Amino acid sequence: MSFRTVWANQLDLSLAGSEVTIAGWVQRRRDHGGLIFVDIRDRSGIVQVVAEPQSAVFPLLDGLRAEYVVSITGVVQKRPEGMVNREIASGDVEIVPTQVRVLSQSKTPPFMPQEAESVDELVRLKYRYVDLRRPSLFNNFRLRDKVLYSLRTFFHEQGFLEVETPALARSTPEGARDFLVPSRVQPGAFYALPQSPQIFKQLLMVAGFERYYQIAKVFRDEDLRADRQPEFTQIDVEMSFLEREDILSLMEMMMKRVFADGLGVMLEDFPRMSWEQALRLYGSDKPDLRAGEPLVDLTETARQLDWDVLAKAPHVVGAVCRQYQPSRKQLDQWNQFAKDHGASGLIWLILNEDGIRTSASKWLSPDDLSRFADTAGMRPGDTLFLVAGAKPLAFVVAGQLRLEFARQENRMESGWKFLWVTEFPLFEWSEDENRLVSAHHPFTMPMAEDIHLLTTNPLAVRSEAYDVVLNGIELASGSLRIYQPEVQEKIFSVLGLSHEEINEKFGFLIQAFQYGAPPHGGIAFGLDRLIMLMAGAKSLRDVIAFPKTARGTDPLMEAPAPVDSRQLDELGIQIKPQS
RNA sequence: GGAGGCGUGGUGUAGUCGGCCUAACACGCAUGCCUGUCACGCAUGAGAUCACGGGUUCGAAUCCCGUCGCCUCCGCCA
């Protein structure tokens, strides 16, 4: 006797009269004294079982409680006239049981799966297996599986090999804090869990694998957010003998395939934008194209003024809010918003049929005002916010204002707004360390036309790096890699790494590149973020089966946890008392 | 490292400017009644260290100090 012959959502009128066996959990029991209804839930849906007192299995149904696991055999019966439930797939029918097997009893659960939505997340994580029973969560994993299947099919068709790389690797400088794993065999030495399989995948290119991918777990010991977990999954890709364009179009094809297979959505071609453009047009390296029009650069218009605050500002950036007439209080709030984000203040212009109101009426003539309004493309009813300041700041603040306005006023367009951001700077200045650091990572290839600036003006050097941005979220990041050892050494020296450090940290990579490295490049997508966006989930926790809390703990296993002193002894580790 | 929000039966909340709280309501749970429900209905009942520790007070869920936990954001995340 099998546990199950059909899924709950397969039951419909076509099966009326036939005998079936269903298996699942008791979702609810409705006891009418003489008549008992029991809803049975499996991962496909729900079906109603009904029994009258004269039924041989009536006492068994009577004894069922929430979340008992049962297998029920019975005859599918068309529901009486007017008793159809349109809410569930099997709502036309019900099962009249002939055999009820209680496979497993359940204690009263801390919460019912169907009410979990409103339950405290800590409780849900502690009883994650109950939480995961609710369809809305389960469906995220169905989608995740679909996407992974689609990805693997795509990669396989395109000649990629799925290759696993070590989880026990070595700590590398630069980048996020590593999770360390002590070695027992080499006392005092540590492995590091990979922040990405970066070096391994490049070594695979040197090895001639040509096209590699991996659904790779990676680890970063940094503080967490709704969209950040300490361990997460990357779609890691690397390929040889391809130009940047080839890589971008292949990866774009991949995303289109995934959205078609996963959601039935046909994506349009992704627009391209340089990092410089992204900053100037959206004040961000991950523009959200749903949030309306780009910023307007009004620096030139400001130059003509007598008023130094604007005329002498390095940049004056405008954000146009269409059909928006803010109140006095709202204007104050926007001003505070700008200050909170580092601007010295905010100038506003409100255009109406009867003229322009402004916070700068003392300094700007009517002519000045209309020049601004014209240049910014204002129409009656619009509000223009101006931010003056230095290069990144003025754009960034205006960009954040643009975003926040769209959010607050519900102006976000719907849909999937992808874009490529390219030509990132190769280096950034680190105030903390008082030195240049890699913007992407130290193996990123500089753009050929900028190589001559490496020593003279390194901050102006652009790189062959590219990001995929979806709805304002960084989804993927990649680059062409340096494959000439002399260029790599040059980069290391600009980064201020000594030969000893280079040899100690990256010697193996430099050495590998001396044995025939092909031109290569790659990219890594955040799989969890992708699924989160596709599923419309608010947190990564909703697309990871057993996620960690914001403090990095797992309430279910109660990890991390202290270990036995014998384990520490074996590792030669002593715990310092907390000060 | 910093900021904010939250913490009251199993779950969700009310009560929080000190007393009428011997802590309320809904869901859940238990028992009984009920033959067409699907958030079944009705009745009865059990169930609470008011996160933890300290303090103020005649009196603390409520005020003060500290700690812990959860969530969100900034820093951080090549």
Side-chain angles (χ1 to χ4, degrees):
Chain A
M1 183 94 225
S2 65
F3 289 123
R4 170 188 290 133
T5 60
V6 286
W7 294 97
N9 71 342
Q10 293 174 322
L11 290 159
D12 58 23
L13 289 173
S14 72
L15 287 169
S18 53
E19 189 188 74
V20 296
T21 303
I22 53 161
W25 284 257
V26 174
Q27 166 119 339
R28 210 179 273 278
R29 194 185 59 125
R30 289 178 295 281
D31 179 358
H32 288 236
L35 192 64
I36 292 184
F37 298 97
V38 180
D39 293 340
I40 304 299
R41 180 192 68 242
D42 62 29
R43 71 177 213 196
S44 78
I46 286 177
V47 65
Q48 172 170 282
V49 175
V50 60
E52 304 200 354
Q54 54 272 32
S55 165
V57 297
F58 187 88
L60 276 168
L61 282 189
D62 196 36
L64 295 182
R65 293 294 179 271
E67 302 305 313
Y68 276 29
V69 182
V70 293
S71 173
I72 295 178
T73 302
V75 177
V76 180
Q77 154 180 297
K78 182 178 190 291
R79 291 194 185 193
E81 228 32 62
M83 301 303 162
V84 167
N85 184 351
R86 291 278 157 239
E87 305 286 308
I88 57 176
S90 67
D92 282 321
V93 296
E94 58 198 358
I95 291 179
V96 180
T98 52
Q99 194 193 359
V100 173
R101 283 191 285 168
V102 177
L103 305 175
S104 192
Q105 301 196 333
S106 169
K107 291 167 71 171
T108 301
F111 56 90
M112 298 300 167
Q114 58 268 28
E115 68 171 359
E117 208 93 38
S118 60
V119 173
D120 185 80
E121 201 155 1
L122 183 61
V123 179
R124 286 168 39 198
L125 286 177
K126 185 163 179 184
Y127 299 92
R128 185 64 167 173
Y129 38 85
V130 176
D131 196 21
L132 289 168
R133 283 178 191 167
R134 66 196 161 101
S136 63
L137 249 196
F138 175 74
N139 286 336
N140 292 347
F141 291 89
R142 199 191 282 279
L143 174 66
R144 190 172 175 129
D145 172 70
K146 245 194 217 177
V147 167
L148 281 169
Y149 182 73
S150 169
L151 282 166
R152 288 201 159 98
T153 310
F154 174 86
F155 283 123
H156 181 76
E157 287 170 4
Q158 296 289 334
F160 285 79
L161 267 62
E162 181 166 16
V163 182
E164 292 170 273
T165 56
L168 296 176
R170 74 171 281 156
S171 183
T172 51
E174 316 265 321
R177 199 175 290 115
D178 287 315
F179 280 99
L180 297 177
V181 179
S183 163
R184 177 183 56 82
V185 188
Q186 311 287 335
F190 292 82
Y191 302 100
L193 302 181
Q195 299 173 26
S196 86
Q198 185 60 37
I199 289 171
F200 292 113
K201 67 176 175 175
Q202 292 193 243
L203 293 176
L204 288 173
M205 293 304 103
V206 178
F209 276 43
E210 302 237 0
R211 290 188 171 204
Y212 143 95
Y213 83 100
Q214 182 180 194
I215 309 300
K217 260 300 178 65
V218 301
F219 307 84
R220 293 176 188 178
D221 188 6
E222 297 291 346
D223 288 352
L224 308 176
R225 291 281 195 289
D227 63 349
R228 273 193 241 156
Q229 283 274 309
E231 55 177 308
F232 59 102
T233 306
Q234 285 188 339
I235 308 162
D236 196 45
V237 185
E238 196 78 9
M239 43 205 137
S240 298
F241 303 115
L242 290 180
E243 307 285 351
R244 183 179 72 183
E245 273 313 304
D246 302 324
I247 296 178
L248 298 194
S249 65
L250 197 57
M251 291 298 97
E252 190 168 322
M253 201 193 298
M254 177 188 91
M255 274 294 110
K256 286 174 178 168
R257 168 77 82 88
V258 162
F259 270 72
D261 291 348
L263 297 177
V265 167
M266 299 302 141
L267 295 178
E268 293 172 6
D269 289 346
F270 301 0
R272 304 271 173 96
M273 197 178 292
S274 71
W275 177 84
E276 179 73 22
Q277 281 177 303
L279 182 67
R280 287 179 175 277
L281 295 176
Y282 298 97
S284 168
D285 56 3
K286 40 179 192 288
D288 193 332
L289 300 183
R290 299 171 306 167
E293 299 168 41
L295 307 172
V296 279
D297 190 333
L298 296 164
T299 312
E300 286 314 310
T301 313
R303 286 280 174 271
Q304 305 163 26
L305 302 173
D306 294 331
W307 186 30
D308 281 358
V309 168
L310 288 190
K312 298 249 169 88
H315 292 275
V316 177
V317 185
V320 180
C321 301
R322 295 291 179 197
Q323 297 306 303
Y324 180 56
Q325 298 283 303
S327 66
R328 188 74 240 175
K329 189 178 163 198
Q330 283 171 313
L331 289 168
D332 286 345
Q333 282 168 356
W334 286 121
N335 194 44
Q336 191 55 45
F337 179 86
K339 283 182 174 166
D340 289 346
H341 286 80
S344 49
L346 194 62
I347 296 164
W348 52 261
L349 274 71
I350 302 176
L351 179 64
N352 278 315
E353 303 291 356
D354 49 0
I356 301 178
R357 285 186 295 137
T358 176
S359 54
S361 51
K362 267 187 230 167
W363 303 282
L364 299 182
S365 70
D367 278 356
D368 295 335
L369 291 173
S370 36
R371 213 162 32 243
F372 272 110
D374 286 350
T375 316
M378 288 178 81
R379 296 188 290 263
D382 294 348
T383 296
L384 170 68
F385 290 107
L386 294 178
V387 184
K391 171 81 170 289
L393 189 73
F395 293 97
V396 168
V397 174
Q400 304 223 305
L401 201 152
R402 165 184 175 270
L403 257 186
E404 187 58 27
F405 169 73
R407 284 200 198 106
Q408 275 186 22
E409 297 294 314
N410 263 325
R411 303 287 182 90
M412 283 286 187
E413 291 168 43
S414 60
W416 306 101
K417 300 289 186 184
F418 275 91
L419 94 141
W420 286 103
V421 179
T422 60
E423 298 173 35
F424 282 78
L426 188 62
F427 302 109
E428 286 166 358
W429 183 257
S430 165
E431 294 291 343
D432 279 359
E433 299 175 62
N434 202 35
R435 65 175 185 100
L436 288 173
V437 295
S438 291
H440 187 52
H441 58 57
F443 318 113
T444 306
M445 185 182 286
M447 286 178 68
E449 54 263 56
D450 290 354
I451 281 194
H452 66 281
L453 296 170
L454 267 180
T455 37
T456 52
N457 188 5
L459 284 170
V461 177
R462 292 166 299 162
S463 71
E464 296 282 5
Y466 34 81
D467 277 7
V468 176
V469 176
L470 170 55
N471 293 352
I473 290 181
E474 181 191 315
L475 242 203
S477 196
S479 65
L480 300 185
R481 327 297 187 189
I482 298 165
Y483 62 98
Q484 312 94 321
E486 60 282 4
V487 178
Q488 186 66 70
E489 298 233 22
K490 179 94 191 164
I491 300 293
F492 283 144
S493 85
V494 174
L495 287 171
L497 294 172
S498 71
H499 275 284
E500 279 135 20
E501 283 174 298
I502 296 166
N503 269 330
E504 200 214 313
K505 309 284 190 190
F506 299 112
F508 55 99
L509 187 68
I510 302 278
Q511 180 173 324
F513 279 12
Q514 290 165 350
Y515 290 93
H520 62 288
I523 193 166
F525 287 78
L527 176 71
D528 314 277
R529 278 187 188 174
L530 174 66
I531 305 295
M532 178 176 89
L533 290 168
M534 290 177 81
K538 291 219 160 41
S539 165
L540 240 36
R541 290 186 295 273
D542 289 343
V543 299
I544 294 174
F546 299 100
K548 306 275 191 290
T549 67
R551 293 285 309 281
T553 65
D554 173 357
L556 197 157
M557 294 198 93
E558 297 188 333
V563 294
D564 205 272
S565 63
R566 194 186 308 162
Q567 287 176 283
L568 291 177
D569 284 347
E570 277 188 330
L571 296 166
I573 289 178
Q574 201 176 0
I575 306 293
K576 276 166 84 176
Q578 295 290 312
S579 50

